[in-house]
Amino acid sequence: MLGSARESARGARETLTVPLWEAINTTWRPIPSGHFEALRPPYIFSWVRERAALINGTADATMTRDEGWQFIMLGRNIERADMTSRLVATTALSGAAGQWTSALRASGAYDAFLRTYRGIETDRAAAEFLLLDRLFPRSVVFALDRAEQSLVNLSGDPRRAGFQDEAQRLIGRTRAELEYRSLSDLVEDLPDEMERLQRTCAAATDAIGRRYFAGAEALAWKGVGA
C-alpha cells in the first residue's frame, strides 16, 4: 500500500512541497530493505503510526490550500470514512468482550472517547463516537463532512438548488442519513449499514475519477490517412 502511495505521490510530484516529498521518501526507504522482517508487530505498527502522522503534519504545515491540497483532503477523508466503517463492522460482528475498546485504540480514538464520555465505557457509546461524533477527525460523520466540503471547494460552482457533482450528492446524502437517524436504528444492524457506507465511498471515488481524472488519459491521435 505504501509503495502505491509513493508512486501516486511521484505522479503528482510537482504539487508536493520538498519537505513533504522528503518525508514520503524517508518513510519508504527502509521497507524494501527487509529492515522490518525481524521486528515485532507492535514496533512496526507504532512506526507506521508515527510516520503517517509526520507525513500528514508536514502536508498540513507546508502546502498551500489549492486544488492539490483539496484532493489530498478529499482522498484522506473518504478513506477514513471507509476504514472506520470496516473497523466498526468487524467489531460488531466479533461480539467478543473488549472489542470496542480495541476498536477505539486502533483508530486513535480511545483518549478522546474517555474525555468525551467522562470515562464511562459502553459498546453503544463507542459506536456512537466512531460513527457520529462531529468533532473527532476519524469519525465517519466528521470524515464525510470534510470530504463534502472539499468537493464544494473543488467545484467552485455554488448552486442554489440540487447537486451537479455526483460524488457530492452521494456523500452528502449518506452523511445526512447517518446524522439524522437514531443511534438505535444504526446499531441494530451495523455490519449491513457499514457495508452500505463502503459501497457509497467506492461509488463516490469512481464519480470523482470520472469527473476530474478521466481526461488525464493519453489521447490516441489518428493520422490524416488513417
Side-chain angles (χ1 to χ4, degrees), residues 33-84:
S33 67
H35 171 72
F36 296 101
E37 292 179 0
L39 299 177
R40 298 179 61 191
Y43 173 83
I44 298 173
F45 293 150
S46 177
W47 180 86
V48 170
R49 183 172 61 248
E50 290 171 0
R51 296 306 303 184
L54 174 63
I55 291 171
N56 288 332
T58 303
D60 289 348
T62 63
M63 290 189 67
T64 57
R65 273 37 178 179
D66 55 8
E67 282 192 354
W69 169 258
Q70 296 299 335
F71 278 118
I72 288 177
M73 292 299 101
L74 177 58
R76 176 191 295 180
N77 283 295
I78 291 177
E79 183 180 32
R80 280 182 175 177
D82 182 83
M83 291 296 104
T84 300

Side-chain angles (χ1 to χ4, degrees), residues 22-179:
E22 289 177 348
I24 294 171
N25 266 340
T26 303
T27 302
W28 165 252
R29 288 192 191 108
I31 295 175
S33 67
H35 171 72
F36 296 101
E37 292 179 0
L39 299 177
R40 298 179 61 191
Y43 173 83
I44 298 173
F45 293 150
S46 177
W47 180 86
V48 170
R49 183 172 61 248
E50 290 171 0
R51 296 306 303 184
L54 174 63
I55 291 171
N56 288 332
T58 303
D60 289 348
T62 63
M63 290 189 67
T64 57
R65 273 37 178 179
D66 55 8
E67 282 192 354
W69 169 258
Q70 296 299 335
F71 278 118
I72 288 177
M73 292 299 101
L74 177 58
R76 176 191 295 180
N77 283 295
I78 291 177
E79 183 180 32
R80 280 182 175 177
D82 182 83
M83 291 296 104
T84 300
S85 73
R86 294 175 189 274
L87 184 63
V88 168
T90 301
T91 304
L93 286 170
S94 171
Q99 285 300 303
W100 282 102
T101 298
S102 298
L104 290 166
R105 291 187 183 279
S107 58
Y110 189 66
D111 291 337
F113 169 77
L114 289 181
R115 286 194 294 271
T116 301
Y117 289 86
R118 305 293 191 269
I120 300 174
E121 297 184 47
T122 66
D123 293 352
R124 183 185 176 89
E128 181 179 54
F129 191 72
L130 290 173
L131 290 173
L132 304 177
D133 192 271
R134 294 189 181 95
L135 300 182
F136 182 66
R138 291 187 181 275
S139 81
V140 170
V141 161
F142 185 101
L144 291 177
D145 179 72
R146 292 302 188 273
E148 189 178 0
Q149 185 58 53
S150 292
L151 287 167
V152 171
N153 294 338
L154 284 166
S155 69
D157 180 27
R159 297 175 62 84
R160 293 182 61 172
F163 296 96
Q164 184 177 8
D165 191 316
E166 176 68 7
Q168 186 181 347
R169 185 186 65 81
L170 289 167
I171 290 174
R173 183 179 66 187
T174 300
R175 176 194 54 74
E177 288 176 353
L178 285 171
E179 284 195 290

Side-chain angles (χ1 to χ4, degrees), residues 172-206:
R173 183 179 66 187
T174 300
R175 176 194 54 74
E177 288 176 353
L178 285 171
E179 284 195 290
Y180 288 96
R181 287 183 64 187
S182 69
L183 182 61
S184 298
D185 288 344
L186 285 176
V187 300
E188 186 174 342
D189 197 0
L190 273 179
D192 285 346
E193 293 290 342
M194 295 302 97
E195 184 179 351
R196 190 160 65 94
L197 174 58
Q198 291 156 30
R199 290 197 298 267
T200 296
C201 290
T205 299
D206 290 341

